[in-house]
Amino acid sequence: MMDKGGGGGEGSRVSPLKNFVAGGVGGACLLLAGHPLDTIKVRLQTQPKPSCTQYVLYTGTYDCFRKTVSKEGLLGLYKGMGAPLVGVAPMMAISFFGFGLGKQLQHTDPGRPLTHSQVFLSGCLAGVFTTVIVAPGERIKCLLQVQASSGGSRYQGPLDCALQLYKEQGLRSVYRGTVLTLIRDVPSNGLYFLTYEYLKNLLTPEGQSVSQLSTANILLAGGVAGILNWTIALPPDVLKSNFQTAADGKYRGLVDVLRTLLREEGATALYKGFNAVFLRAFPANAACFLGFEMALKGLNVLAPSW
């Protein structure tokens, strides 16, 4: 049983405005800490399979990092960050609001704490809520990241990319990969929030409020939550990255992406970018939850009535 509230402060009340501001801070912290390794992850996931006469483009995480910095400088690691940065505040607000709403909908008896399965389902709801923003942001981000690694310059930036996609095939093109985004984010968000809530309660000393949790323990809970999130999110993320960056008509759907990857590269293809993902997961998500909790505490002091 979960014995304390979370994901927006103690208790069952959810403040959308506070969650929006605090979520924006947390999301910005996540992006700044994790985007370089996200760029490496996408490039490793989408690099073409070499023929017998070709060498692989990147031999691993460090090789991709070295070549990216050598050719594009440190800013090359932040390619494609504009699109997720623009959407991160509403995305994180919706995520934490969706989690809080899920808890409220299931918390019919105030005297009884939520079960682990109820917390997990609340996290799943957060994943559904955020997909409307995440899916197009991921599509644009991946296209910009892959374009930079291939030396192309079709898109001048996130806005130009979005406009070109819309002009070519409308919203359908902008939202390409939405189903795979749902498959990735719904269960992984459930595990993400469940892990964070569970560890927050586990790490809170007896007799103390969960809001008094130390910075070190917040970082630990957020980092571990991020790692477990990606253990189940990585395979659908690989499929999504390939589907969203492929030429029109290359894949007939998500099953075709899976079948093609398994046929050409084997099951290990579903874990391409593994090292980059797990190197990124702990610090990025630790930074996210620390930023969120610190911003929330500040808002509770500065604007308690929000």
Side-chain angles (χ1 to χ4, degrees):
M1 303 287 279
M2 307 298 288
D3 58 346
K4 297 184 183 75
E10 288 188 70
S12 59
R13 181 177 177 271
V14 177
S15 168
L17 185 55
K18 283 183 181 177
N19 278 359
F20 183 88
V21 177
V25 172
C29 291
L30 183 149
L31 275 177
L32 290 171
H35 193 80
L37 280 164
D38 183 72
T39 297
I40 292 171
K41 177 205 73 174
V42 171
R43 292 184 178 185
L44 288 171
Q45 288 176 345
T46 58
Q47 66 175 328
K49 184 183 179 183
S51 66
C52 297
T53 58
Q54 292 177 317
Y55 290 105
V56 66
L57 186 59
Y58 306 116
T59 58
T61 300
Y62 177 72
D63 185 54
C64 183
F65 170 82
R66 183 178 58 82
K67 288 178 178 176
T68 298
V69 173
S70 175
K71 293 178 181 178
E72 305 166 49
L74 285 173
L75 290 179
L77 296 170
Y78 286 90
K79 289 286 175 66
M81 197 175 84
L85 188 59
V86 168
V88 73
M91 182 193 77
M92 294 304 292
I94 293 170
S95 179
F96 279 99
F97 177 77
F99 178 57
L101 179 62
K103 291 198 299 180
Q104 282 190 335
L105 291 173
Q106 298 179 89
H107 208 185
T108 54
D109 184 356
R112 298 188 62 184
L114 291 171
T115 64
H116 291 104
S117 60
Q118 287 174 322
V119 174
F120 175 79
L121 289 174
S122 299
C124 289
L125 183 63
V128 174
F129 275 31
T130 57
T131 296
V132 68
I133 295 174
V134 172
E138 288 272 311
R139 165 89 153 130
I140 293 165
K141 172 184 72 69
C142 289
L143 284 172
L144 291 172
Q145 287 172 326
V146 174
Q147 166 185 274
S149 66
S150 63
S153 57
R154 180 181 178 186
Y155 307 114
Q156 301 307 309
L159 182 59
D160 181 55
C161 182
L163 289 173
Q164 286 197 47
L165 291 174
Y166 182 76
K167 287 177 182 177
E168 289 167 6
Q169 296 182 23
L171 281 176
R172 181 179 178 181
S173 179
V174 177
Y175 276 88
R176 183 177 181 181
T178 297
V179 173
L180 281 165
T181 303
L182 280 168
I183 292 172
R184 182 193 70 174
D185 286 355
V186 170
S188 64
N189 267 273
L191 184 60
Y192 183 59
F193 279 107
L194 172 61
T195 303
Y196 183 66
E197 289 282 287
Y198 176 78
L199 288 177
K200 277 180 69 177
N201 284 282
L202 184 68
L203 295 170
T204 299
E206 191 68 33
Q208 287 190 17
S209 166
V210 74
S211 65
Q212 297 174 293
L213 198 64
S214 68
T215 297
N217 283 333
I218 291 173
L219 289 170
L220 177 61
V224 172
I227 288 175
L228 291 183
N229 168 28
W230 279 104
T231 58
I232 62 173
L234 187 55
D237 184 65
V238 173
L239 298 178
K240 180 195 67 63
S241 294
N242 279 274
F243 186 68
Q244 288 184 320
T245 59
D248 291 339
K250 181 176 180 180
Y251 301 117
R252 293 187 296 275
L254 63 94
V255 175
D256 190 37
V257 183
L258 176 61
R259 187 185 298 117
T260 301
L261 278 178
L262 291 177
R263 183 180 67 248
E264 294 181 353
E265 303 178 52
T268 56
L270 296 175
Y271 284 89
K272 285 197 293 185
F274 177 90
N275 290 337
V277 164
F278 286 94
L279 283 172
R280 168 185 179 269
F282 191 98
N285 288 283
C288 174
F289 275 110
L290 180 62
F292 177 82
E293 296 286 358
M294 295 286 284
L296 201 61
K297 284 182 180 179
L299 288 171
N300 286 334
V301 172
L302 297 172
S305 62
W306 279 14

